[in-house]
């Protein structure tokens, strides 16, 4: 840390736009609140349109990652609106509720919507992680882990996690996994197009007077 | 063609915090109210309520509610006169209601303004009876179908959203109240297949429910236990809430039909309007790539209910129901005035996240009638300047 003095070379800061999508009431908002604020409540109101949250991660000694989380309403009926919301996203969580089988059936619909509206600069789909939320409760349906693995391979998910926002299970792990995948893409295409909007992001090494928490 | 001009500071509609002693079941509170002695209002109790963190429903000005002023008493008298006349003059009632309806006469005034209750006194009782029966006829006919396949999705969505409607107000956590909301929303949804149930409509029932409930509750509606009311009373509140909400939604139907064209149009109109009235704010949004849809979608979809305490929404709706096309058109100007109200805070934010975080969590928790009065006055001014001058407002 050296008192934050002197130019710190090689310290990189990334800003990544990450979508959180899935059917209504599966716990998207709860997952985000748990991840960002370490809180859980039964009392979140239904998201209307989109909600925003920001999570700052000291990824490693040289990297600061800012995740801009877009919490998209589950009852998304604004035909073109998801297109507006998805623009420039570099990663996504697709969430379903293990206690309601119908929300799992809708996962493919959401994934398809995602892939048809946003792509990486090289034309491949953005990395998406499947979250089987409310795993602290009794399951409805009988996907076993190997079936889930297969579902993910076929559906183009980079992986899946059983999560519980209530009991704080696997949420940090899932986010870490998604960020790893985003960063891997970033290394393949190390230009600003992987990051959200240019004016907001400084890809040059941070200047001495900027925050030094990542170095 | 305008209704009464807004007078800033006059927005203290039902600003009295003195507990009123009202008889339990007045069908027409205006008539009942005349019987009450004005004496109660004279006891100026040392009542300066501290505004609690959770927004209270009851009318309060940000500075605490002062005892009723002479001016407010005169206004209340005027309302009582209008409401008890053989044929209520609706134009006059709108004019009086624009700057806020006194709490004591709000339920009957809202029924009249929404077009639910006829202006003619003799027809009122029968109309209410007939409409209430009609509503419960729908329930009998359709409510059992909620678990059938073609309505299952609708019912399920409503069922998920009801417990999270005003989750912090104990009133709405009571099973009886939640059942009432489910019935109202389900019946409305299946009778309007072009839109069906859309998230946000659940919020729109609340002001009606609270106002009609307030007719039977003396204080502290948010903690009231509805099992204290007779079944008849609860049924009346339910049916009246259903019909008034239906009237409201009739006027903004294209907000909720497929692809929500009404909302898209209004968000665009808001953007144009703001670019005319406050270029600096508009350019600030452009600079940081903030799109109006990202925050104003909710403002339109939920009529600012998510941005304001419930008591403020109730006050706002006094005006919306008095203003021609209040919910469908005037709301746009209210949104513009609301946005500009935060211009300093907006201009202080220097990145996308900061701006969106601010715009989605505007600090209105302490707002009361005064703030809404000022907001409405500004909205009225904007409407006056821009509504009838399309060239002016186009870029």
């Amino acid at each position: 840390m050296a008192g934050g003095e002197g130019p710190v070379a090689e310290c990189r800061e990334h800003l990544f736009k990450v979508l959180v999508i899935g059917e209504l009431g599966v716990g998207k908002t709860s997952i985000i609140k748990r991840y960002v604020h370490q809180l859980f409540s039964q009392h979140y109101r239904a998201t209307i349109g989109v909600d925003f949250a920001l999570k700052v991660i000291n990824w490693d000694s040289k990297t600061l990652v800012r995740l801009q989380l877009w919490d998209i309403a589950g009852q998304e009926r604004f035909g073109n609106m998801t297109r507006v919301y998805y623009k420039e996203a570099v990663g996504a969580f697709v969430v379903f509720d293990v206690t309601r089988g119908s929300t799992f059936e809708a996962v493919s619909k959401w994934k398809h919507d995602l892939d048809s509206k946003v792509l990486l600069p090289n034309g491949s789909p953005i990395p998406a992680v499947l979250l089987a939320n409310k795993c602290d409760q009794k399951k409805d349906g009988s996907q076993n882990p190997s079936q889930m693995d297969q579902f993910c391979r076929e559906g183009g998910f980079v992986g899946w996690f059983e999560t519980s926002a209530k009991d704080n299970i696997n949420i940090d792990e899932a986010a870490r996994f998604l960020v790893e995948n985003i960063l891997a893409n970033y290394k393949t295409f190390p230009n600003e197009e992987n990051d959200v909007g240019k004016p907001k992001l400084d890809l040059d090494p941070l200047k001495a007077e900027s925050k030094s928490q990542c170095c | 063609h305008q209704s009464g001009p807004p007078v800033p500071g006059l927005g203290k509609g039902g600003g009295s915090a003195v507990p009123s002693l009202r008889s339990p079941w007045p069908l027409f509170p205006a008539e009942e109210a005349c019987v009450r002695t004005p004496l109660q209002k004279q006891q100026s109790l040392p009542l300066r309520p501290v505004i609690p963190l959770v927004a209270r429903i009851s009318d309060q000005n940000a500075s605490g509610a002062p005892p009723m002023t002479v001016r407010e008493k005169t206004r209340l008298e005027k309302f009582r006169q209008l409401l008890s006349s053989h044929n209520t003059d609706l134009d006059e009632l709108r004019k009086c209601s624009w700057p806020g309806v006194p709490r004591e006469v709000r339920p009957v005034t809202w029924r009249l303004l929404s077009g639910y209750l006829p202006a003619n006194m003799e027809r009122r009782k029968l109309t209410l009876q007939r409409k209430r029966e009609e509503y419960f006829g729908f329930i009998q006919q359709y409510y059992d179908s909620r678990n059938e396949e073609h309505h299952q999705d609708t019912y399920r969505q409503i069922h998920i959203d009801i417990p999270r409607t005003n989750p912090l107000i104990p009133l709405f956590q009571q099973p009886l109240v939640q059942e009432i909301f489910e019935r109202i929303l389900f019946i409305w949804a299946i009778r309007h297949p072009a839109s069906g149930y859309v998230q946000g409509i659940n919020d729109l029932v609340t002001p009606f429910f609270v106002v009609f409930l307030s007719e039977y509750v003396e204080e502290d509606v948010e903690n009231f236990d509805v099992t204290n009311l007779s079944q008849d009373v609860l049924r009346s509140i339910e049916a009246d809430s259903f019909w008034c909400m239906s009237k409201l939604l009739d006027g903004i139907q294209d907000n909720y039909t497929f692809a929500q064209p009404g909302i898209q149009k209004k968000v665009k109109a808001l953007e144009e309007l703001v670019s005319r009235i406050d270029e600096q704010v508009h350019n600030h949004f452009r600079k940081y790539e903030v799109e109006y849809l990202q925050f104003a979608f909710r403002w339109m979809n939920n009529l600012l209910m998510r941005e304001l305490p419930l008591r403020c929404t109730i006050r706002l709706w006094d005006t919306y129901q008095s203003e021609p096309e209040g919910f469908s058109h005037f709301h746009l100007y209210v949104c513009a005035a609301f946005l500009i109200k935060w211009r300093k805070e907006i201009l202080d934010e220097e990145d996308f996240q900061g701006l969106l975080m601010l715009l989605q969590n505007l600090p209105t928790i302490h707002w009361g009638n005064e703030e809404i009065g000022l907001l409405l006055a500004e909205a009225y001014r904007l409407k006056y300047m821009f509504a009838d001058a399309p060239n002016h407002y186009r870029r």
Side-chain angles (χ1 to χ4, degrees):
Chain A
M1 291 281 197
E5 293 292 325
V8 189
E10 302 303 315
C11 181
R12 291 196 169 261
E13 185 176 329
H14 301 288
L15 177 61
F16 294 140
K17 171 173 171 179
V18 169
L19 306 170
V20 184
I21 55 180
E23 288 297 279
L24 120 174
V26 297
K28 298 178 290 299
T29 303
S30 295
I31 287 172
I32 291 171
K33 299 273 184 188
R34 167 61 80 185
Y35 182 51
V36 175
H37 304 290
Q38 289 84 44
L39 287 175
F40 178 78
S41 154
Q42 311 273 8
H43 297 307
Y44 300 123
R45 297 193 280 190
T47 304
I48 303 294
V50 57
D51 269 345
F52 295 85
L54 183 72
K55 171 83 175 181
V56 181
I57 312 167
N58 294 307
W59 186 255
D60 59 31
S61 62
K62 297 196 300 276
T63 321
L64 183 81
V65 172
R66 291 148 83 74
L67 282 191
Q68 192 182 84
L69 296 155
W70 289 50
D71 178 5
I72 310 234
Q75 195 195 35
E76 192 40 75
R77 48 190 357 269
F78 201 155
N80 253 331
M81 204 151 84
T82 49
R83 190 181 302 279
V84 178
Y85 292 153
Y86 292 174
K87 205 173 63 184
E88 295 179 316
V90 295
F93 290 113
V94 182
V95 188
F96 72 98
D97 172 355
V98 297
T99 70
R100 285 189 292 139
S102 62
T103 64
F104 178 69
E105 285 155 31
V107 161
S108 303
K109 187 198 85 184
W110 281 100
K111 181 67 164 65
H112 180 78
D113 189 49
L114 184 69
D115 291 345
S116 67
K117 291 175 180 166
V118 61
L119 293 170
L120 291 176
N122 71 344
S124 57
I126 65 171
V129 172
L130 181 62
L131 302 183
N133 195 37
K134 308 195 189 179
C135 71
D136 55 290
Q137 293 180 52
K138 197 178 163 293
K139 275 183 208 146
D140 168 29
S142 56
Q143 281 81 26
N144 62 39
S146 71
Q147 282 170 319
M148 285 295 283
D149 287 340
Q150 195 189 342
F151 178 84
C152 283
R153 269 196 309 276
E154 286 167 3
F157 289 95
V158 294
W160 65 280
F161 288 82
E162 280 194 334
T163 58
S164 164
K166 183 161 170 263
D167 292 348
N168 196 15
I169 299 170
N170 268 344
I171 293 182
D172 285 327
E173 289 78 358
R176 199 161 180 89
F177 181 73
L178 181 62
V179 172
E180 276 166 11
N181 277 276
I182 295 171
L183 282 168
N185 286 330
Y186 179 80
K187 278 172 193 134
T188 326
F189 306 98
N191 60 52
E192 69 268 32
E193 285 179 55
N194 262 351
D195 293 280
V196 183
K198 281 142 248 164
K200 285 163 281 175
L201 185 79
D202 184 6
L203 278 176
D204 298 329
L206 287 183
K207 306 218 169 62
E209 58 270 28
S210 15
K211 300 149 209 125
S212 63
Q213 68 255 51
C214 73
C215 301
Chain B
H1 65 284
Q2 313 291 6
S3 313
V7 184
L10 246 190
K12 303 176 184 172
S16 167
V18 181
S20 55
L21 309 164
R22 61 180 66 181
S23 53
W25 328 117
L27 191 56
F28 306 110
E31 298 162 85
E32 292 285 331
C34 295
V35 187
R36 284 197 268 148
T37 65
L39 261 181
Q40 302 150 14
K41 298 292 176 200
Q42 303 293 5
Q43 331 162 332
S44 34
L45 304 168
L47 215 95
R48 294 193 62 83
V50 179
I51 302 215
L53 214 67
V54 175
R56 301 256 320 240
I57 296 168
S58 37
D59 279 331
Q60 279 166 331
N61 295 310
S63 53
M68 210 180 219
T69 62
V70 175
R71 184 162 202 163
E72 284 164 341
K73 265 189 230 166
T74 320
R75 291 193 69 227
L76 183 57
E77 270 320 305
K78 172 82 182 164
F79 270 94
R80 285 182 179 150
Q81 251 175 38
L82 276 167
L83 295 168
S84 57
S85 79
H86 180 70
N87 238 325
T88 296
D89 180 344
L90 290 178
D91 282 338
E92 193 59 28
L93 186 65
R94 279 186 207 108
K95 221 180 201 166
C96 287
S97 300
W98 208 101
V101 181
R103 196 186 48 189
E104 294 84 344
V105 292
R106 189 175 268 137
V108 66
T109 304
W110 276 27
R111 286 192 198 99
L112 282 160
L113 292 177
S114 68
Y116 172 48
L117 199 61
N120 183 298
M121 178 67 89
E122 281 152 26
R123 291 177 45 216
R124 287 185 197 170
K125 198 171 175 175
L126 214 68
T127 302
L128 280 183
Q129 205 184 327
R130 189 170 50 76
K131 292 304 259 183
R132 287 167 182 171
E133 275 165 17
E134 193 183 344
Y135 170 74
F136 283 99
F138 295 153
I139 298 284
Q140 226 170 14
Q141 198 179 341
Y142 301 119
Y143 199 56
D144 283 340
S145 73
R146 67 189 183 282
N147 294 315
E148 287 167 17
E149 193 155 359
H150 57 296
H151 288 325
Q152 222 177 25
D153 276 357
T154 298
Y155 179 70
R156 223 182 261 152
Q157 297 193 337
I158 292 169
H159 188 71
I160 291 173
D161 280 353
I162 293 307
R164 37 184 201 166
T165 305
N166 304 305
L168 296 174
I169 302 174
L171 172 69
F172 299 103
Q173 296 309 309
Q174 297 170 37
L176 264 181
V177 174
Q178 297 194 349
E179 285 161 23
I180 288 173
F181 272 60
E182 285 192 6
R183 285 193 292 268
I184 291 175
L185 290 168
F186 181 75
I187 297 298
W188 188 88
I190 63 166
R191 284 174 51 81
H192 296 82
S195 59
Y197 171 69
V198 177
Q199 290 190 310
I201 293 180
N202 55 329
D203 280 353
L204 306 184
V205 189
T206 11
F208 292 116
F209 182 80
V210 165
V211 166
F212 296 140
L213 176 67
S214 74
E215 214 166 354
Y216 306 96
V217 179
E218 290 176 18
E219 277 295 295
D220 200 21
V221 180
E222 56 262 53
N223 290 307
F224 182 74
D225 177 0
V226 295
T227 55
N228 291 323
L229 296 176
S230 73
Q231 218 201 342
D232 266 5
V233 165
L234 280 173
R235 283 165 68 96
S236 307
I237 295 172
E238 178 174 343
D240 292 3
S241 301
F242 171 82
W243 287 115
C244 288
M245 182 198 76
S246 301
K247 295 269 187 197
L248 158 59
L249 286 170
D250 284 348
I252 51 171
Q253 219 179 2
D254 66 345
N255 278 6
Y256 305 107
T257 48
F258 179 73
Q260 304 193 255
I263 292 186
Q264 299 200 59
K265 219 168 57 200
K266 280 169 220 167
V267 171
K268 274 210 183 76
L270 177 68
E271 181 169 358
E272 285 213 344
L273 184 57
V274 173
S275 76
R276 295 288 309 172
I277 61 180
D278 198 327
E279 214 183 349
Q280 213 183 340
V281 165
H282 184 72
N283 289 339
H284 195 71
F285 285 160
R286 291 183 70 157
K287 180 172 174 196
Y288 295 106
E289 297 179 26
V290 170
E291 289 179 41
Y292 286 72
L293 196 64
Q294 288 158 354
F295 61 91
F297 178 82
R298 189 169 82 188
W299 293 13
M300 301 302 171
N301 191 67
N302 290 45
L303 297 172
L304 285 177
M305 282 190 70
R306 290 289 182 94
E307 329 306 322
L308 297 170
L310 187 50
R311 59 174 181 276
C312 292
T313 294
I314 290 172
R315 166 64 195 86
L316 195 61
W317 287 19
D318 289 342
T319 304
Y320 282 5
Q321 293 180 93
S322 322
E323 173 76 21
E325 299 183 286
F327 293 101
S328 59
H329 185 66
F330 186 62
H331 179 65
L332 169 67
Y333 297 95
V334 173
C335 287
F338 185 66
L339 183 66
I340 298 314
K341 159 101 193 144
W342 309 100
R343 74 183 309 276
K344 188 182 166 299
E345 289 83 351
I346 289 168
L347 296 174
D348 280 349
E349 290 294 338
E350 304 249 281
D351 64 26
F352 176 88
Q353 286 79 229
L355 279 163
L356 262 302
M357 249 57 128
L358 168 71
L359 290 165
Q360 295 207 321
N361 302 283
L362 291 165
T364 61
I365 187 104
H366 290 278
W367 275 34
N369 290 336
E370 255 166 70
E371 288 80 1
I372 297 298
L374 289 168
L375 182 71
L376 286 165
E378 178 60 14
Y380 185 86
R381 191 184 71 84
L382 292 175
K383 182 191 152 187
Y384 184 79
M385 285 177 64
F386 294 95
D388 306 316
N391 292 330
H392 204 35
Y393 142 31
R394 211 174 290 142
R395 262 135 82 67

